[in-house]
Amino acid sequence: MDKKQHIAIFTTASLPWMTGTAVNPLFRAVYLAKDGERKVTLVIPWLSLKHQLLVYPNNITFRSPSEQEKYVRQWVEESTGFISGFNIKFYPGKFAVDKRSILAVGDISEAIPDEEADIAVLEEPEHLTWFHHGKRWKTKFRLVIGIIHTNYLEYVKREKNVMQAFLLKYVNSWLVSIYCHKVIRLSAATQDYPRSIVCNVHGVNPKFLNIGEKKIEQQHRGSPAFTKGAYYIGKMVWSKGYKELLKLLHDHQEELSGLAVDLFGNGEDSDQVKEAAKKLELMVRVYPGRDHADPQFHDYKVFLNPSTTDVVCTASAEALAMGKIVVCANHPSNDFFRQFPNCQTFDDGNGFVNATSMALAEEPAQLTDTERYELSWEAATERFLRAAEVDQRFSKKLAKIPSRSFASTSLNLRKNLEDASAYLHYAASGFEVSRQVFGAIPGSLRPDEEQCEELGLPVSRVK
């Protein structure tokens, strides 16, 4: 019997932090393992207690990795309704307050034994490789796939830091090229990368499709399925669409007279968002954030999302799955949504007014079975397998080409340059001084004694 292909998914966050890089890689692992044809391991960060308190909501903490794993698996079973056979492993991480991100500590590729190192999926490869110091990903794994989640350049550009954006673009491209055989960009909103393909390999939590199915049943019965108007939900920071939305509402108050919009979210800019909303003549109410699947949202008809910083907005996909109309910007991040009749895009302020008015005046189209399937994780998994070509077996060593061949010379030169680049990064990432210059957390070269004890790692590694 042939050995099952092993896929290891490395990501930068974990539940209960409800961020995209915690939820989407988790679902990817669940659905890749669902048919039992391959072995799948999800590799997620373990945070010591003081860092958990900085990240996880509602003071949720875990005394051990096994306790957190139990939490994650319970959430998955409640969301999907089935038990998945994927594995979970942890790597040591620390939370960087200034970056609002979890950064890996030590060589996280060690979480997977060499004999199981078939395919690695790096969710946010730029994030995972910036401070990586250890075995080269391409050397350890036969195939390394990077999935680009975040439009980092857009966030930096909004801070008007031109030099930082320039450096970030080229360093990201350099590192991803060194460590990944293949790159999947969720949309064309991200920066381009060598050997990359644009494909949305994300789906929606099944519970949103279930809500949408109930709405279709209501419509078939002739009952009013959507009795509320327009809303928006997202992390309440200006860069997550609130700036654009409030400006559009402010500039077109006269045309949108009578419009009521409810905003939901928590975040650093909550107080400023509330103040800006109060200054509008329109009725714009601001509420704390909550789960998008909460019954409070079921009856809203129109989801307004003018954001252009997303790569593929999860909340927009969820709204479509629930049967709502989504009004969004004509932007590459929304290209995947154009196939759905309930997606209405706009180019400017007048277009926003027209799209919003039309959406509020009409009933959402009922999703077909095909459209519902396109939003599912089953379809997203199929797209991933096609885009990543994971069934194509890569040899660890390139086939020998006659030395006189020009292609051989070119290939060898490229490989030598890449090897030299990889060595340069390995050397630079091996010193605390150089690591901290580029933004690493002090003491993140190796896990500390506490992390070693919690994860069962040999303490000698910190010496």
Side-chain angles (χ1 to χ4, degrees), residues 132-371:
H132 176 71
H133 180 75
K135 185 172 287 188
R136 186 177 169 190
W137 292 96
K138 282 184 180 179
T139 301
K140 175 156 184 169
F141 292 88
R142 292 187 299 112
L143 175 62
V144 183
I145 304 153
I147 300 181
I148 308 297
H149 287 246
T150 308
N151 195 351
Y152 287 115
L153 289 185
E154 181 63 27
Y155 289 119
V156 174
K157 287 175 182 176
R158 286 179 174 238
E159 296 173 1
K160 303 190 185 306
N161 193 327
V162 178
M163 182 56 68
Q164 186 179 352
F166 176 83
L167 290 173
L168 185 65
K169 177 180 179 180
Y170 285 97
V171 172
N172 281 350
S173 183
W174 176 56
L175 290 174
V176 171
S177 178
I178 289 172
Y179 292 117
C180 296
H181 293 106
K182 200 171 188 69
V183 179
I184 299 174
R185 300 159 59 201
L186 296 177
S187 78
T190 68
Q191 74 174 80
D192 198 4
Y193 285 91
R195 300 184 292 275
S196 68
I197 182 174
V198 174
C199 182
N200 177 22
V201 293
H202 286 178
V204 299
N205 189 319
K207 61 186 178 183
F208 293 101
L209 291 167
N210 293 336
I211 294 168
E213 192 171 3
K214 292 176 182 177
K215 287 297 175 183
I216 291 176
E217 291 173 1
Q218 282 182 257
Q219 289 171 309
H220 284 164
R221 293 196 304 267
S223 303
F226 301 99
T227 56
K228 297 180 182 178
Y231 77 109
Y232 177 62
I233 182 172
K235 185 177 180 181
M236 203 164 279
V237 293
W238 286 119
S239 61
K240 283 292 187 180
Y242 289 95
K243 183 176 182 179
E244 292 89 342
L245 180 55
L246 288 170
K247 186 177 189 307
L248 285 166
L249 296 176
H250 175 271
D251 293 348
H252 299 278
Q253 294 184 86
E254 185 175 339
E255 301 99 302
L256 294 170
S257 178
L259 174 68
V261 181
D262 293 339
L263 307 179
F264 297 84
N266 301 314
E268 298 92 307
D269 298 326
S270 295
D271 291 340
Q272 293 180 42
V273 169
K274 290 175 184 176
E275 286 302 312
K278 288 178 182 177
K279 296 176 182 177
L280 297 175
E281 295 176 11
L282 300 173
M283 183 182 293
V284 180
R285 295 164 293 204
V286 183
Y287 300 100
R290 57 178 61 202
D291 189 337
H292 198 188
D294 188 285
Q296 180 165 350
F297 297 108
H298 294 189
D299 294 335
Y300 282 99
K301 182 166 69 172
V302 180
F303 181 76
L304 301 177
N305 182 15
S307 174
T308 56
T309 58
D310 292 303
V311 175
V312 174
C313 180
T314 300
S316 291
E318 293 168 349
L320 286 170
M322 288 189 282
K324 306 178 189 302
I325 298 174
V326 171
V327 175
C328 57
N330 182 9
H331 186 262
S333 62
N334 295 316
D335 283 348
F336 177 78
F337 302 133
R338 296 179 193 275
Q339 64 184 296
F340 301 98
N342 286 333
C343 174
Q344 299 187 9
T345 60
F346 63 89
D347 292 298
D348 52 26
N350 291 330
F352 172 78
V353 172
N354 292 334
T356 301
S357 300
M358 286 178 59
L360 289 167
E362 61 188 32
E363 283 301 301
Q366 294 180 15
L367 290 179
T368 65
D369 290 343
T370 299
E371 289 162 352

Side-chain angles (χ1 to χ4, degrees), residues 60-84:
I60 299 174
T61 58
F62 306 100
R63 293 168 294 179
S64 66
S66 60
E67 189 176 318
Q68 185 169 3
E69 178 175 349
K70 182 179 179 182
Y71 178 97
V72 171
R73 291 191 182 280
Q74 182 176 339
W75 186 89
V76 166
E77 290 172 24
E78 290 174 354
S79 298
T80 65
F82 63 85
I83 298 175
S84 180

